[in-house]
């Protein structure tokens, strides 16, 4: 396995809120994901992402938040949250295939949840395909007390946002 330091080199990915001018970058990002990764995130392939999906992924509003990880001008990760539903905030994260396994997903989750707690969120929810073992391991590590319900091949996760546990995750794993 390649060390994270050599994968990222000296330039760490910039994590920032999405902007209106990210539309084309998000389109390229989604098209560059393997069908497997697309399916794990969207529960279907999105090799030709519709404009409505792209715009939904960059929308930031009172109820929605979205972050991107950018390296050398290209989006390599995306995280979004939506206020409402079963938990205070529902989240979804995807990292391009090449950059998976180096701590970028947990970093995006951590930053997204920090922003959500500032807005008053105390619980987090997410739907994860049962076959997404990497995401389920990350969830169990961050939230060992998370409630998990299996429904139609999907794991519905609800957990308390414990800042100490969530934000300590930033330093664990193979951080770049």
């Amino acid at each position: 396995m390649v060390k994270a330091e050599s994968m990222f080199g000296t330039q760490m990915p910039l994590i920032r809120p999405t902007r209106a001018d990210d539309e084309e970058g998000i389109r390229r990002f989604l098209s560059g994901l393997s069908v497997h990764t697309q399916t794990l995130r969207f529960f279907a392939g999105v090799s030709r992402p519709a404009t409505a999906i792209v715009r939904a992924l960059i929308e930031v509003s009172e109820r929605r938040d979205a972050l991107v990880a950018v390296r050398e001008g290209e989006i390599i990760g995306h995280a979004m949250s939506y206020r409402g539903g079963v938990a205070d905030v529902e989240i979804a994260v995807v990292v391009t295939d090449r950059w998976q396994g180096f701590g970028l997903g947990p970093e995006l989750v951590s930053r997204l949840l920090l922003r959500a707690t500032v807005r008053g969120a105390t619980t987090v929810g997410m739907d994860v395909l049962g076959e997404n073992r990497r995401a389920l391991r990350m969830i169990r590590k961050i939230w060992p007390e998370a409630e998990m319900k299996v429904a139609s091949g999907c794991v519905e996760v609800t957990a308390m946002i414990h800042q100490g546990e969530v934000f300590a995750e930033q330093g664990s794993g193979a951080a770049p």
Side-chain angles (χ1 to χ4, degrees), residues 84-143:
V86 176
D88 292 336
V89 65
E90 304 281 332
I91 66 169
V93 177
V94 63
V95 173
T96 192
D97 296 75
R98 181 174 178 207
W99 301 107
Q100 292 176 12
F102 295 98
L104 188 54
E107 180 69 19
L108 283 163
V109 168
S110 181
R111 296 218 192 163
L112 192 64
L113 291 179
L114 176 60
R115 293 166 62 92
T117 60
V118 167
R119 293 180 171 185
T122 60
T123 58
V124 60
M126 61 206 90
D127 292 331
V128 181
L129 277 180
E131 69 184 72
N132 194 343
R133 305 259 188 251
R134 180 179 282 166
L136 292 171
R137 276 193 307 272
M138 180 187 77
I139 291 164
R140 276 288 177 219
K141 185 175 183 179
I142 296 172
W143 299 285

Side-chain angles (χ1 to χ4, degrees), residues 5-144:
E5 297 84 33
S6 62
M7 286 294 290
F8 287 116
T10 58
Q11 184 184 358
M12 293 281 292
L14 168 69
I15 297 177
R16 62 165 173 77
T18 56
R19 306 182 302 233
D21 66 348
D22 283 329
E23 205 169 310
E24 187 53 38
I26 287 288
R27 189 177 310 286
R28 280 193 312 273
F29 169 71
L30 293 175
S31 296
L33 298 174
S34 68
V35 172
H36 179 72
T37 296
Q38 290 173 4
T39 302
L40 291 178
R41 166 57 182 89
F42 298 100
F43 298 16
V46 292
S47 57
R48 293 185 52 108
T51 300
I53 291 173
V54 172
R55 288 186 179 153
L57 292 176
I58 63 174
E59 180 184 345
V60 175
S61 68
E62 183 79 18
R63 298 181 62 83
R64 299 171 67 94
D65 195 11
L67 300 173
V68 289
V70 180
R71 184 163 189 280
E72 297 177 357
E74 290 298 317
I75 294 173
I76 62 170
H78 179 271
M80 65 182 296
S81 66
Y82 174 79
R83 291 191 58 90
V86 176
D88 292 336
V89 65
E90 304 281 332
I91 66 169
V93 177
V94 63
V95 173
T96 192
D97 296 75
R98 181 174 178 207
W99 301 107
Q100 292 176 12
F102 295 98
L104 188 54
E107 180 69 19
L108 283 163
V109 168
S110 181
R111 296 218 192 163
L112 192 64
L113 291 179
L114 176 60
R115 293 166 62 92
T117 60
V118 167
R119 293 180 171 185
T122 60
T123 58
V124 60
M126 61 206 90
D127 292 331
V128 181
L129 277 180
E131 69 184 72
N132 194 343
R133 305 259 188 251
R134 180 179 282 166
L136 292 171
R137 276 193 307 272
M138 180 187 77
I139 291 164
R140 276 288 177 219
K141 185 175 183 179
I142 296 172
W143 299 285

Side-chain angles (χ1 to χ4, degrees), residues 124 155 165:
V124 60
V155 180
E165 293 172 10

